[in-house]
Amino acid sequence: MSKNEAVFGIHSVTAVLQHAPERALELFVQKDRDDPAIQEIVKAARAAGVRPQFCQRKTLDERVDKDSTHQGVLLLVTPGRAYQENDLPELAQQAGQKALFLILDQVTDPHNLGACLRTADAAAVTAVIVPKDKAAGLNATVRKVASGAAEIVPLVTATNLARALRILKDEGVWVTGTAGEATVGLYENKFVGPVAIVMGAEGTGMRRLTRELCDDLVSIPLSGTVSSLNVSVAAGVCLFEVVRQRAAQAGKGSAK
């Protein structure tokens, strides 16, 4: 049986109570916190049938790791849906021509995964895909950094990333990989129809097979002295270029 999960931080707890209140089990609130955001959380919890438990800060501190900040609130929840490769056809078909996937090849830093999920939510990404092994998974740190996005954006854990890529391609999704040595710049590329953006691991980039399965490769133009961007920043640049192009195409269509 799956173990219950702890969600902490104002944004993350709020996201669960707004989008999946049926998952909420127990809410712990720091006694001396009574600001508007906390009041809204308490109100939402009660509406979901969860009675808040007010406690000392020390109690909350003991429930999170030393590098995390709970912001005075922690919610115990039932595990969310676990997405796998066999869910990809349904996700792609539901999104249709607007399908947009973010694939992270062996991104191991949970802070980067959390930041990528947050950006993915802002860009209306269909799902984020990560390999099962040698990659960050969904944990409390990821949820906190994601600021609620981890409760909204489907995170697909692929046992075999190459197989996941092939499934997407079979569904008509065009797979674009990112590589510093690519000869085509991101802003020169035309993103049409369902798209998947592949980001490589911090420092090492995409694995060989992942690269070979991409339909094309693009690079992000860099004008300064740095040789690369943090993966979450690079993901944001790429995703919002797709968003920008789609908005521009939609504008042309409505102007006819």
Side-chain angles (χ1 to χ4, degrees):
M1 186 175 178
S2 298
K3 188 177 179 181
N4 293 333
E5 301 170 351
V7 177
F8 53 85
I10 289 171
H11 293 297
S12 297
V13 171
T14 298
V16 174
L17 292 173
Q18 286 183 346
H19 300 281
E22 69 282 355
R23 292 178 57 202
L25 296 173
E26 292 183 85
L27 176 67
F28 297 89
V29 181
Q30 188 174 317
K31 277 186 175 180
D32 56 356
R33 287 292 299 269
D34 193 34
D35 49 90
I38 295 292
Q39 291 174 12
E40 286 299 316
I41 286 174
V42 169
K43 181 179 177 181
R46 285 179 170 145
V50 177
R51 187 176 180 179
Q53 299 181 45
F54 296 91
C55 58
Q56 299 295 333
R57 175 173 179 171
K58 182 180 179 182
T59 302
L60 294 176
D61 291 342
E62 291 171 349
R63 285 179 171 266
V64 302
D65 62 70
K66 62 180 181 179
D67 296 322
S68 299
T69 305
H70 51 69
Q71 296 180 305
V73 63
L74 183 145
L75 183 69
L76 290 183
V77 300
T78 57
R81 178 177 173 181
Y83 291 87
Q84 299 175 327
E85 287 111 308
N86 55 11
D87 293 306
L88 289 173
E90 180 184 357
L91 288 167
Q93 291 162 21
Q94 287 179 344
Q97 292 298 299
K98 293 183 178 180
L100 176 56
F101 293 89
L102 174 62
I103 302 170
L104 304 175
D105 188 11
Q106 293 188 312
V107 172
T108 57
D109 186 341
H111 291 85
N112 277 337
L113 176 57
C116 284
L117 282 167
R118 185 172 182 174
T119 299
D121 179 39
V125 162
T126 307
V128 175
I129 304 171
V130 297
K132 181 179 179 181
D133 298 320
K134 298 180 180 178
L138 195 57
N139 59 24
T141 298
V142 173
R143 293 180 189 279
K144 178 65 171 58
V145 175
S147 293
E151 318 310 326
I152 300 169
V153 181
L155 180 66
V156 178
T157 302
T159 305
N160 185 311
L161 189 59
R163 182 167 62 232
L165 287 168
R166 293 189 181 100
I167 290 173
L168 289 179
K169 289 159 74 77
D170 287 344
E171 292 297 326
V173 178
W174 187 265
V175 180
T176 295
T178 54
E181 69 277 11
T183 57
V184 177
L186 172 68
Y187 306 121
E188 301 167 42
N189 202 51
K190 301 300 179 185
F191 295 101
V192 179
V195 172
I197 300 293
V198 187
M199 312 299 302
E202 303 96 338
T204 59
M206 292 181 290
R207 287 174 290 178
R208 179 185 58 81
L209 184 55
T210 303
R211 178 188 294 257
E212 290 176 355
L213 286 168
C214 291
D215 293 307
D216 59 9
L217 297 174
V218 298
S219 60
I220 299 175
L222 300 177
S223 302
T225 58
V226 298
S227 59
S228 64
L229 297 175
N230 172 277
V231 65
S232 63
V233 174
V237 172
C238 294
L239 291 174
F240 276 94
E241 175 58 16
V242 178
V243 171
R244 185 195 68 80
Q245 289 194 23
R246 287 179 172 179
Q249 287 301 316
K252 288 181 181 178
S254 62
K256 290 182 181 179

